[in-house]
Amino acid sequence: MGKVNLARVDERLIHGQVMITLSQRNGVNSIFVVDDVVAKDKFMKDLYKSAGSRTGQKTIVISEKKAKYYWDEYDFKDYDCILLTKTVKAIYDLATHGIPMPELNIGGIAQKDSEADKLVTKSVYLNRDDALLLKDLHENYGVEDIYFQATPSAPKTSLEDVLKQFDL
């Protein structure tokens, strides 16, 4: 049975030294990029697989539906992975489907709505709805450690500190 060693939300998905460093964690043997748009685009899929191969880990690019199926049918086989999505909503959907992820890192989310999105760390804009989803994951779905950290060398910001910015 496989497992998610680290879940991460980052719009850039796989990029540079960050993923190389994260993929050197104990027990990680794969990277799962879960994104419906990328999974349907052969060029982008190949690009992310190539970027992931530079980490030395097997890189699998799949849709949300396929990730859920792969968990339900095979428990991710023998893959101990880093699970990457571009959005909080996507990681929420995977966790609430039943894919266990005790650790969630929020790495980079760009501003989309200047009125609704709040800069909560140097590299993360979050809206209230996403903040509520993260709070729900922590309180009700066993995601014990949720933190904001763009790169492994950057300081961590706790979920608690971010939720205070939304008075939650």
Side-chain angles (χ1 to χ4, degrees), residues 1-47:
M1 179 173 160
K3 66 179 179 180
V4 177
N5 286 18
L6 172 68
R8 179 172 166 96
V9 175
D10 193 324
E11 291 181 345
R12 302 163 293 182
L13 295 172
I14 296 175
H15 61 97
Q17 192 63 35
V18 171
M19 196 49 56
I20 290 171
T21 302
L22 291 176
S23 70
Q24 293 171 345
R25 297 171 66 107
N26 290 341
V28 172
N29 62 14
S30 56
I31 299 168
F32 282 31
V33 175
V34 180
D35 186 82
D36 292 345
V37 173
V38 173
K40 291 178 187 174
D41 183 326
K42 181 173 175 11
F43 174 76
M44 292 302 293
K45 189 173 182 176
D46 290 345
L47 183 69

Side-chain angles (χ1 to χ4, degrees), residues 130-140 146 159 163 168:
D130 283 347
L132 287 167
L133 292 179
L134 292 172
K135 184 175 191 253
D136 191 38
L137 285 177
H138 179 67
E139 292 177 352
N140 300 308
I146 300 176
L159 176 62
L163 293 179
L168 297 174

Side-chain angles (χ1 to χ4, degrees), residues 90-104:
I91 209 77
Y92 181 85
D93 289 346
L94 295 170
T96 58
H97 180 77
I99 299 174
M101 50 186 83
E103 181 180 351
L104 173 58

Side-chain angles (χ1 to χ4, degrees), residues 125-150:
Y125 281 89
L126 208 60
N127 62 43
R128 186 174 182 81
D129 291 342
D130 283 347
L132 287 167
L133 292 179
L134 292 172
K135 184 175 191 253
D136 191 38
L137 285 177
H138 179 67
E139 292 177 352
N140 300 308
Y141 291 95
V143 186
E144 298 164 14
D145 188 14
I146 300 176
Y147 58 92
F148 297 73
Q149 185 181 37

Side-chain angles (χ1 to χ4, degrees), residues 44-56:
M44 292 302 293
K45 189 173 182 176
D46 290 345
L47 183 69
Y48 282 110
K49 282 184 175 183
S50 174
S53 71
R54 288 186 222 126
T55 68

